[in-house]
């Protein structure tokens, strides 16, 4: 039975949304094709007809995770607001809806060139977004450098805060990094 173009597009979007969430929650290596199809309410055949391979799906899911988080940024969001939200307990505790950089960075070096290119484009875009909101009196090179340091600090803090088994230390990692970036 043929599926309409609209239904196929809906199926594709459903798979990408589910894959984007699952790879951030469980990691790329922790998500099987079975888990992806189950989460999307699809069959293996439906997934492969849309993407051809798990590798291709991962590439597109990485891009979807980055784009969907980017849509949440408002033009009026300041770096301070972003830092506060990023280094929050809620963000630490909800990787499936959180930043794909913190959720996926430790796995990206083992992924396909296409997935790495999507990730790299997202990092460049975030550096640009941060840079555009930093020290208007500073030169572009300085703002870009500060944006890189800020992004690396944010991602590193969340990765560490999620990794440690001591909740007080985890909270302190977030607090200390937030304080340093605010100063």
């Amino acid at each position: 039975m043929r599926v309409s173009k609209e239904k196929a597009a809906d199926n594709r979007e459903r798979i990408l949304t589910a894959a984007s969430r699952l790879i951030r929650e469980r990691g790329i290596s922790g998500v099987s094709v079975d888990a992806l199809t189950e989460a999307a309410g699809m069959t293996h055949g439906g997934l492969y007809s849309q993407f051809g391979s798990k590798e291709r799906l991962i590439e597109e899911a990485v891009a979807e995770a980055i784009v969907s988080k980017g849509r949440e940024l408002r033009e009026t969001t300041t770096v301070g607001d972003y830092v506060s939200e990023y280094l929050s307990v809620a963000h630490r505790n909800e990787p499936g809806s959180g930043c794909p950089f913190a959720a996926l960075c430790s796995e990206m070096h083992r992924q396909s060139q296409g997935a790495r290119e999507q990730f790299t484009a997202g990092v460049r875009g975030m550096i640009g977004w941060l840079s555009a909101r930093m020290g208007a009196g500073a030169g572009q090179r300085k703002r870009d450098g500060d944006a890189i340091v800020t992004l690396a600090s944010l991602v590193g803090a969340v990765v560490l805060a999620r990794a440690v088994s001591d909740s007080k230390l985890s909270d302190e990692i977030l607090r200390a990094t937030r304080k340093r970036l605010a100063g």
Side-chain angles (χ1 to χ4, degrees):
M1 186 167 149
R2 279 195 66 71
V3 175
S4 71
K5 288 183 180 185
E6 294 80 22
K7 182 64 176 165
D10 181 55
N11 289 345
R12 182 179 187 77
E13 186 62 33
R14 199 165 68 239
I15 294 168
L16 279 174
T17 299
S20 167
R21 178 182 52 79
L22 282 178
I23 64 173
R24 287 181 280 171
E25 283 176 2
R26 302 180 189 175
I28 295 168
S29 61
V31 178
S32 66
V33 171
D34 287 340
L36 292 168
T37 56
E38 182 180 325
M42 302 289 296
T43 64
H44 284 70
L47 185 142
Y48 286 111
S49 72
Q50 290 287 336
F51 299 96
S53 68
K54 181 183 177 188
E55 182 178 282
R56 180 69 180 156
L57 171 58
I58 294 301
E59 289 174 13
E60 292 194 39
V62 167
E64 172 61 25
I66 292 167
V67 167
S68 69
K69 284 309 288 181
R71 279 189 222 115
E72 294 175 12
L73 296 173
R74 296 173 310 282
E75 199 57 39
T76 59
T77 302
T78 67
V79 172
D81 293 338
Y82 184 72
V83 166
S84 292
E85 185 178 318
Y86 196 99
L87 296 175
S88 68
V89 171
H91 182 232
R92 177 196 62 201
N93 294 346
E94 295 294 329
S97 61
C99 176
F101 306 135
L104 303 173
C105 69
S106 65
E107 290 187 272
M108 289 314 297
H109 70 280
R110 291 185 291 273
Q111 299 308 308
S112 71
Q113 185 65 26
R116 292 183 74 200
E117 287 171 359
Q118 295 291 345
F119 193 85
T120 300
V123 169
R124 286 184 198 283
M126 194 65 221
I127 290 167
W129 186 88
L130 287 165
S131 178
R133 286 157 180 76
M134 294 188 155
Q140 186 66 48
R141 189 177 184 102
K142 167 103 171 80
R143 287 194 317 269
D144 288 349
D146 289 347
I148 290 168
V149 169
T150 299
L151 182 58
S153 298
L154 292 169
V155 171
V158 170
V159 169
L160 284 173
R162 287 177 178 166
V164 299
S165 63
D166 180 333
S167 62
K168 287 182 183 178
L169 176 58
S170 178
D171 290 345
E172 183 60 18
I173 290 167
L174 296 176
R175 188 201 64 73
T177 307
R178 195 170 42 246
K179 182 178 177 183
R180 174 62 58 102
L181 291 175

